[in-house]
């Protein structure tokens, strides 16, 4: 649905931008991109409740996937927080051991 596609787009944009930030060693911007993604995840949750009344199973799966993506982006910046978030999304191991994410589609323009 449209809300889940928008969340996926936000994730892809965060991955693209964070990857560039890390390559340029611009950790301040990488951190801000992680914060922005977290805000977008909260926005998604609010929009779901506003439009549907409650989250569906697919909505919860989309949030879990977005939070796992956030954990991967946070791993080099805040490893302990990333580990907690990673475990909370039901993933085993550590996000630091997982491969760096890549966007699933072309991210939206800024």
């Amino acid at each position: 649905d449209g809300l889940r596609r928008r969340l996926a787009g936000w994730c892809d944009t965060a991955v693209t931008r964070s990857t560039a930030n890390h390559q340029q060693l611009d950790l301040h911007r990488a951190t801000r991109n992680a914060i922005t993604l977290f805000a977008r995840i909260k926005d998604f949750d609010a929009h779901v409740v506003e439009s549907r009344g409650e989250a569906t199973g697919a909505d919860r799966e989309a949030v879990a996937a977005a939070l796992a993506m956030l954990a991967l982006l946070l791993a080099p910046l805040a490893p302990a927080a990333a580990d907690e978030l990673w475990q909370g999304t039901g993933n085993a191991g550590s996000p630091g051991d997982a491969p760096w994410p890549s966007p699933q589609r072309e991210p939206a323009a800024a």
Side-chain angles (χ1 to χ4, degrees):
D1 100 316
L3 290 174
R4 288 190 296 273
R5 281 193 307 273
R6 187 182 309 169
L7 179 61
W10 288 331
C11 288
D12 290 342
T13 298
V15 168
T16 299
R17 290 180 179 174
S18 292
T19 300
N21 297 147
H22 283 281
Q23 289 170 343
Q24 298 165 357
L25 300 177
D26 190 349
L27 301 183
H28 175 76
R29 282 202 171 111
T31 302
R32 292 199 41 84
N33 282 319
I35 291 167
T36 299
L37 178 57
F38 182 65
R40 298 292 187 240
I41 294 168
K42 290 186 346 183
D43 288 347
F44 170 81
D45 204 39
H47 281 84
V48 163
V49 169
E50 182 180 303
S51 66
R52 301 193 228 298
E54 67 180 45
T56 65
D59 295 330
R60 288 188 292 278
E61 288 176 17
V63 168
L67 289 172
M69 179 73 65
L70 178 60
L72 292 172
L73 298 179
L74 282 175
L77 304 167
D83 281 343
E84 288 292 322
L85 184 56
W86 187 255
Q87 298 299 319
T89 60
N91 290 297
S94 169
D97 297 333
W100 187 255
S102 59
Q104 300 302 306
R105 62 184 188 160
E106 186 64 29

